[in-house]
PDB file of all heavy atoms in Angstrom:
ATOM      1  N   PRO A  89      36.544 124.702  74.489  1.00  0.00           N
ATOM      2  CA  PRO A  89      35.590 123.726  75.022  1.00  0.00           C
ATOM      3  C   PRO A  89      35.182 122.702  73.962  1.00  0.00           C
ATOM      4  O   PRO A  89      35.207 122.982  72.757  1.00  0.00           O
ATOM      5  CB  PRO A  89      34.390 124.591  75.439  1.00  0.00           C
ATOM      6  CG  PRO A  89      34.948 125.973  75.591  1.00  0.00           C
ATOM      7  CD  PRO A  89      36.054 126.084  74.595  1.00  0.00           C
ATOM      8  N   GLU A  90      34.825 121.529  74.415  1.00  0.00           N
ATOM      9  CA  GLU A  90      34.367 120.488  73.502  1.00  0.00           C
ATOM     10  C   GLU A  90      33.059 120.916  72.838  1.00  0.00           C
ATOM     11  O   GLU A  90      32.233 121.606  73.440  1.00  0.00           O
ATOM     12  CB  GLU A  90      34.152 119.181  74.267  1.00  0.00           C
ATOM     13  CG  GLU A  90      33.833 117.992  73.376  1.00  0.00           C
ATOM     14  CD  GLU A  90      33.701 116.706  74.177  1.00  0.00           C
ATOM     15  OE1 GLU A  90      33.351 116.781  75.375  1.00  0.00           O
ATOM     16  OE2 GLU A  90      33.964 115.626  73.613  1.00  0.00           O
ATOM     17  N   SER A  91      32.895 120.521  71.596  1.00  0.00           N
ATOM     18  CA  SER A  91      31.681 120.875  70.859  1.00  0.00           C
ATOM     19  C   SER A  91      30.434 120.358  71.578  1.00  0.00           C
ATOM     20  O   SER A  91      30.430 119.221  72.069  1.00  0.00           O
ATOM     21  CB  SER A  91      31.739 120.278  69.451  1.00  0.00           C
ATOM     22  OG  SER A  91      30.499 120.455  68.784  1.00  0.00           O
ATOM     23  N   PRO A  92      29.385 121.170  71.678  1.00  0.00           N
ATOM     24  CA  PRO A  92      28.162 120.740  72.364  1.00  0.00           C
ATOM     25  C   PRO A  92      27.515 119.510  71.741  1.00  0.00           C
ATOM     26  O   PRO A  92      26.789 118.782  72.424  1.00  0.00           O
ATOM     27  CB  PRO A  92      27.238 121.959  72.248  1.00  0.00           C
ATOM     28  CG  PRO A  92      28.144 123.107  71.986  1.00  0.00           C
ATOM     29  CD  PRO A  92      29.299 122.557  71.206  1.00  0.00           C
ATOM     30  N   ASP A  93      27.767 119.292  70.446  1.00  0.00           N
ATOM     31  CA  ASP A  93      27.163 118.132  69.782  1.00  0.00           C
ATOM     32  C   ASP A  93      28.138 116.954  69.674  1.00  0.00           C
ATOM     33  O   ASP A  93      27.953 116.052  68.847  1.00  0.00           O
ATOM     34  CB  ASP A  93      26.656 118.505  68.391  1.00  0.00           C
ATOM     35  CG  ASP A  93      27.756 119.075  67.498  1.00  0.00           C
ATOM     36  OD1 ASP A  93      28.886 119.280  67.994  1.00  0.00           O
ATOM     37  OD2 ASP A  93      27.482 119.326  66.307  1.00  0.00           O
ATOM     38  N   ALA A  94      29.169 116.942  70.512  1.00  0.00           N
ATOM     39  CA  ALA A  94      30.106 115.811  70.525  1.00  0.00           C
ATOM     40  C   ALA A  94      29.348 114.534  70.851  1.00  0.00           C
ATOM     41  O   ALA A  94      28.495 114.523  71.747  1.00  0.00           O
ATOM     42  CB  ALA A  94      31.216 116.050  71.542  1.00  0.00           C
ATOM     43  N   PRO A  95      29.641 113.438  70.148  1.00  0.00           N
ATOM     44  CA  PRO A  95      28.886 112.201  70.362  1.00  0.00           C
ATOM     45  C   PRO A  95      29.213 111.531  71.692  1.00  0.00           C
ATOM     46  O   PRO A  95      30.342 111.623  72.193  1.00  0.00           O
ATOM     47  CB  PRO A  95      29.329 111.321  69.191  1.00  0.00           C
ATOM     48  CG  PRO A  95      30.697 111.816  68.841  1.00  0.00           C
ATOM     49  CD  PRO A  95      30.662 113.296  69.093  1.00  0.00           C
ATOM     50  N   VAL A  96      28.222 110.889  72.249  1.00  0.00           N
ATOM     51  CA  VAL A  96      28.428 110.072  73.444  1.00  0.00           C
ATOM     52  C   VAL A  96      29.096 108.773  73.014  1.00  0.00           C
ATOM     53  O   VAL A  96      28.669 108.127  72.055  1.00  0.00           O
ATOM     54  CB  VAL A  96      27.083 109.780  74.138  1.00  0.00           C
ATOM     55  CG1 VAL A  96      27.261 108.751  75.247  1.00  0.00           C
ATOM     56  CG2 VAL A  96      26.492 111.076  74.699  1.00  0.00           C
ATOM     57  N   VAL A  97      30.174 108.383  73.709  1.00  0.00           N
ATOM     58  CA  VAL A  97      30.903 107.178  73.319  1.00  0.00           C
ATOM     59  C   VAL A  97      30.668 106.016  74.272  1.00  0.00           C
ATOM     60  O   VAL A  97      30.738 104.848  73.874  1.00  0.00           O
ATOM     61  CB  VAL A  97      32.420 107.454  73.202  1.00  0.00           C
ATOM     62  CG1 VAL A  97      32.693 108.479  72.109  1.00  0.00           C
ATOM     63  CG2 VAL A  97      32.998 107.931  74.527  1.00  0.00           C
ATOM     64  N   ALA A  98      30.393 106.310  75.545  1.00  0.00           N
ATOM     65  CA  ALA A  98      30.168 105.228  76.515  1.00  0.00           C
ATOM     66  C   ALA A  98      29.676 105.825  77.827  1.00  0.00           C
ATOM     67  O   ALA A  98      30.075 106.931  78.214  1.00  0.00           O
ATOM     68  CB  ALA A  98      31.452 104.432  76.755  1.00  0.00           C
ATOM     69  N   PHE A  99      28.796 105.076  78.503  1.00  0.00           N
ATOM     70  CA  PHE A  99      28.343 105.438  79.842  1.00  0.00           C
ATOM     71  C   PHE A  99      27.733 106.845  79.904  1.00  0.00           C
ATOM     72  O   PHE A  99      27.817 107.529  80.928  1.00  0.00           O
ATOM     73  CB  PHE A  99      29.491 105.330  80.852  1.00  0.00           C
ATOM     74  CG  PHE A  99      30.272 104.052  80.759  1.00  0.00           C
ATOM     75  CD1 PHE A  99      31.589 104.059  80.316  1.00  0.00           C
ATOM     76  CD2 PHE A  99      29.678 102.832  81.081  1.00  0.00           C
ATOM     77  CE1 PHE A  99      32.318 102.877  80.224  1.00  0.00           C
ATOM     78  CE2 PHE A  99      30.396 101.651  80.992  1.00  0.00           C
ATOM     79  CZ  PHE A  99      31.709 101.662  80.565  1.00  0.00           C
ATOM     80  N   GLY A 100      27.141 107.286  78.794  1.00  0.00           N
ATOM     81  CA  GLY A 100      26.536 108.610  78.752  1.00  0.00           C
ATOM     82  C   GLY A 100      27.529 109.746  78.688  1.00  0.00           C
ATOM     83  O   GLY A 100      27.157 110.909  78.868  1.00  0.00           O
ATOM     84  N   LEU A 101      28.803 109.450  78.423  1.00  0.00           N
ATOM     85  CA  LEU A 101      29.865 110.445  78.408  1.00  0.00           C
ATOM     86  C   LEU A 101      30.477 110.570  77.017  1.00  0.00           C
ATOM     87  O   LEU A 101      30.538 109.597  76.256  1.00  0.00           O
ATOM     88  CB  LEU A 101      30.971 110.071  79.406  1.00  0.00           C
ATOM     89  CG  LEU A 101      30.548 109.938  80.869  1.00  0.00           C
ATOM     90  CD1 LEU A 101      31.682 109.332  81.681  1.00  0.00           C
ATOM     91  CD2 LEU A 101      30.140 111.288  81.437  1.00  0.00           C
ATOM     92  N   THR A 102      30.930 111.764  76.684  1.00  0.00           N
ATOM     93  CA  THR A 102      31.662 111.965  75.443  1.00  0.00           C
ATOM     94  C   THR A 102      33.124 111.594  75.645  1.00  0.00           C
ATOM     95  O   THR A 102      33.595 111.456  76.783  1.00  0.00           O
ATOM     96  CB  THR A 102      31.575 113.437  74.989  1.00  0.00           C
ATOM     97  OG1 THR A 102      32.274 114.259  75.946  1.00  0.00           O
ATOM     98  CG2 THR A 102      30.120 113.897  74.886  1.00  0.00           C
TER      99      THR A 102
END
Side-chain angles (χ1 to χ4, degrees):
E90 187 177 27
S91 172
D93 57 354
V96 171
V97 297
F99 312 112
L101 301 170
T102 66

